[in-house]
Every structure is written in C-alpha cells, then in structure tokens.
C-alpha cells in the first residue's frame, strides 16, 4: 500500500480549525497546530491533542515529510497564507485549503505550486460548529496521489457510513461518498461543489424563512386596516384569523415531513429558545459563496433563479434596498400623487 498521512499541520485554530485538530487526534493522527493567537495553540496543547508551533517555519521543522499542512483561514487571506506556507515546504509536500476559497483561485494556486513540486488540495468543508461530534462533509479537489495520501485524514474527519441510512439500490462495499467525503476532481473542483452546496443552502434557508414569515402573518385579518389608496384590501379577513404556534409547527414538521432537514432541526431549536426571534435584527450576511454560485451560473448559462433571489434578499436585509424603495415611493407620488404612508 502506498504511503499515507499519519501527521497533519493545522494553521488557523478558530471554531472549525481547532475541532478539526481534535477529531484528527482522536483518530490517532498527530497534529501540529499554529495560529496567530497563542492562547488558541495553548488550549490544544493543554488538551493533549496537538503539538504547538510558534511559526510556520517551526511547524514545518516539527513535521516529517511529505508534510501535509491544512490552512483553515478566511477566504480573504487564504491565498496569502497558502503561498507563505509553500515558501517553507519541500518538493512532494502538500498544502490544503479547507476554507471557502473561490475555486478559480485554487486552479491558479495549484498551477503555481506545481512549479515548485508542491501539491495543492482544496477541500470544501461543511459541518460548522457541530462537526466535532457529527463529523465533516468534505468535497475535495486535487491530484489523485495527493488526495490518496490524505485519505486517513479525510476518513478521520468524515461522519462515516453510519451517519445516514444507505441509499436504496446501493450494494457491496460502501463507496467513498458514503463515508461523507468525495474526491470530486482536479484542483478547484472541491471548492466548486462546496460553492454550489452553499448556494443551495441560501435557497433552502430562504424558503423556510419565507414560509414561516407567511405563517406569522396568518392573523392579519384581525388587524384594523385603513381604507385608502396606500393600503391594499385583504380580500376576506375571515381567511386570515389564525394565531399559529410557529415553534410547534417547526416541531411537527421535523417528524415525517418531506421538508424535514437538519436546517429545520436548527430552526425548531431557535424558535424554542426565542419564539419571536427578538434577539435578531434581520441583518443577514453573506460570505461570498452565494455570489460566486450566481456568477458561475451566469457564465455557464445555468438558470438558478431561486438561489439568486435568496442572495438578493440577503442584500435587501442589510438596507441595500432602501434607496430603491425610496425611489419607488417617489415615482408613485409623482405619477399618482400618492403620499408615502408613514410607519411608526
């Protein structure tokens, strides 16, 4: 059998990076950890799950070749860190970007590092703060030899075959994907698949949000409504007299419903903790994955209207629609003399 990784370097010990180390260590993989925050390193060292490093150079010195160093930092700085790491590596070593980098950057990095004989692997990693216990779903891009060398790492991090019931029709030994990780193709393919994964996530979250928002308005028929040109009639108010228990609806949908999912599980938990969601202002951020999905779809000529709408809704949640809405109000006033209705 070809040589496989028994050791892993981890740069970036945030919410996911530190737990990746813990999960690898639990599977017997020796980890060397580095972060700009010395306390983050000390925490893992104190737990006995990692050897601490004081710098990238120190990390490399503490590892055996061929070295495999996983970079788990924000996409905005991932390229800088990848190239910095590569400057300290030798031919045959591997750099892994496990964050959410844009896949064209992976193609470029792989090409540049190959000139030095350094292998590059991109890993789209899904699992978030729950991954330590549940495992991480991984979408992997890179050359066959590098990915095969890292297989023990991926196997340690993945949820495993028992994380889901076997798909009817599958037989024989479990395929790689059934363990919860997949070598998708050459450089960039892992982050491409993860990009689309996150775009789908946007759309699913938006669908849940819109559905629950409609149910929250199911008692609108009991509201007193003005009779003027600024207020659309509701039709028959008797059709909207429901005071629905949204936490209970989320709970019942978790059991046997075709729209059941882990995201719905988390939604139900949030509604139990804060039924009116008073702890949230409705400002919804986006990390870039949804934007990249829509851009890729435009270039490929693939229609993704639901994902695009979900992305634009996030923009609107941050006040980016305010000027356009003011413009609409101004035009309505200009052509029809409709004064803007003031809301307390």
């Amino acid at each position: 059998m070809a040589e496989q990784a028994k050791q892993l370097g981890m740069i970036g010990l945030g919410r996911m990076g530190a737990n990746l180390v813990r999960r690898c260590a639990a599977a017997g993989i020796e980890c060397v950890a580095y972060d700009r925050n010395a306390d983050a390193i000390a925490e893992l060292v104190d737990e006995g799950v990692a050897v601490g490093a004081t710098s990238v150079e120190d990390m490399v010195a503490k590892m055996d070749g061929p070295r495999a160093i996983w970079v788990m930092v924000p996409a905005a700085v991932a390229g800088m860190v990848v190239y910095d790491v590569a400057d300290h590596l030798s031919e045959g070593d591997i750099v892994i970007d496990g964050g959410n980098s844009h896949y064209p950057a992976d193609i470029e990095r792989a090409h540049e590092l190959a000139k030095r004989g350094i292998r590059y692997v991109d890993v789209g990693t899904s699992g978030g703060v729950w991954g330590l216990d549940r495992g991480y779903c991984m979408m992997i891009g890179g050359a066959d030899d590098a990915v095969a060398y890292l297989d023990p790492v991926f196997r340690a991090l993945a949820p495993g075959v028992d994380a889901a019931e076997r798909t009817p029709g599958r037989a024989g030994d479990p395929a790689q994907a059934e363990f919860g990780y997949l070598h998708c193709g050459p450089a960039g393919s892992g982050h491409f698949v993860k990009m689309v994964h996150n775009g789908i996530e946007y759309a699913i979250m938006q669908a849940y949000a819109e559905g629950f928002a409609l149910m929250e308005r199911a008692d609108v028929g009991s509201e007193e409504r003005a009779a003027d040109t600024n207020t659309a009639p509701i039709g028959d108010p008797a059709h909207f007299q429901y005071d629905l228990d949204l936490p209970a609806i989320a709970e019942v949908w978790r059991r046997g419903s075709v729209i059941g999912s882990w995201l719905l599980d988390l939604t139900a938990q949030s509604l139990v903790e804060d039924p009116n969601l008073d702890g949230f202002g409705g400002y919804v951020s986006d990390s870039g994955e949804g934007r990249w999905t829509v851009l890729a779809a435009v270039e490929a000529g693939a229609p993704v209207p639901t994902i695009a709408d979900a992305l634009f809704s996030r923009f609107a949640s941050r006040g980016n629609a305010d000027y356009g809405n003011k413009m609409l109000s101004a035009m309505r006033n200009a052509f029809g003399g409709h004064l803007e209705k003031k809301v307390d």
Side-chain angles (χ1 to χ4, degrees):
M1 178 181 290
E3 183 182 10
Q4 292 187 309
K6 299 176 182 177
Q7 189 181 50
L8 181 71
M10 180 67 66
I11 296 178
L13 305 177
R15 288 174 298 177
M16 288 186 68
N19 282 341
L20 291 170
V21 169
R22 293 183 176 102
R23 196 165 173 94
C24 280
I29 295 172
E30 180 187 344
C31 296
V32 183
Y34 172 66
D35 191 283
R36 291 184 302 175
N37 180 357
D39 290 340
I41 303 171
E43 182 176 347
L44 295 180
V45 172
D46 290 344
E47 290 178 23
V49 297
V51 174
T54 57
S55 64
V56 174
E57 187 174 13
D58 183 42
M59 168 178 279
V60 171
K62 290 177 175 177
M63 296 182 67
D64 303 321
R67 303 170 186 85
I69 297 181
W70 187 303
V71 174
M72 203 65 177
V73 299
V77 297
M80 177 181 65
V81 176
V82 164
Y83 286 122
D84 180 45
V85 171
D87 286 341
H88 296 86
L89 296 182
S90 305
E91 184 174 349
D93 289 346
I94 302 171
V95 181
I96 307 149
D97 180 359
N100 282 333
S101 291
H102 197 192
Y103 74 94
D106 295 313
I107 298 171
E108 178 182 342
R109 292 173 198 161
H111 177 72
E112 290 300 315
L113 296 190
K115 295 177 183 178
R116 313 185 208 177
I118 298 170
R119 297 172 288 178
Y120 178 84
V121 174
D122 54 284
V123 182
T125 312
S126 182
V129 296
W130 301 87
L132 177 60
D133 296 323
R134 291 168 56 98
Y136 298 89
C137 173
M138 290 166 289
M139 298 136 271
I140 305 160
D144 290 349
D145 61 336
V147 175
Y149 177 77
L150 293 168
D151 192 74
V153 173
F154 299 137
R155 187 69 63 97
L157 294 174
V161 174
D162 294 336
E165 293 184 9
R166 198 163 204 200
T167 301
R170 285 190 174 272
D173 293 336
Q176 186 184 71
E178 293 180 86
F179 287 90
Y181 65 101
L182 179 67
H183 184 195
C184 299
S189 63
H191 279 150
F192 183 92
V193 175
K194 178 58 161 51
M195 174 189 76
V196 177
H197 165 284
N198 282 21
I200 292 170
E201 178 185 293
Y202 279 38
I204 294 173
M205 292 173 69
Q206 185 68 26
Y208 281 134
E210 291 178 7
F212 276 92
L214 174 57
M215 291 189 290
E216 194 271 337
R217 294 286 291 158
D219 63 349
V220 68
S222 63
E223 296 179 358
E224 186 174 328
R225 297 176 70 81
D228 56 39
T229 59
N230 285 326
T231 308
I234 197 172
D236 190 341
H239 294 168
F240 295 93
Q241 297 287 334
Y242 304 121
D243 183 14
L244 299 177
D245 186 337
L246 300 189
I249 291 169
E251 198 62 41
V252 74
W253 281 355
R254 293 181 61 218
R255 293 166 170 80
S257 167
V258 296
I259 62 168
S261 71
W262 185 45
L263 282 173
L264 182 60
D265 294 344
L266 297 176
T267 299
Q269 180 179 335
S270 296
L271 287 171
V272 167
E273 295 171 352
D274 188 356
N276 296 318
L277 304 180
D278 293 328
F280 300 91
Y283 183 104
V284 187
S285 299
D286 72 289
S287 62
E289 298 280 285
R291 302 183 189 208
W292 298 337
T293 302
V294 172
L295 290 172
V298 170
E299 293 188 9
V304 292
T306 306
I307 295 174
D309 183 65
L311 174 66
F312 295 149
S313 291
R314 293 193 178 199
F315 294 166
S317 79
R318 307 199 293 264
N320 295 345
D322 289 356
Y323 184 82
N325 290 334
K326 290 178 181 179
M327 182 63 71
L328 288 171
S329 188
M331 288 188 286
R332 191 167 183 270
N333 179 67
F335 72 68
H338 303 291
L339 298 178
E340 185 175 70
K341 186 174 182 178
K342 302 301 181 182
V343 179
D344 293 332

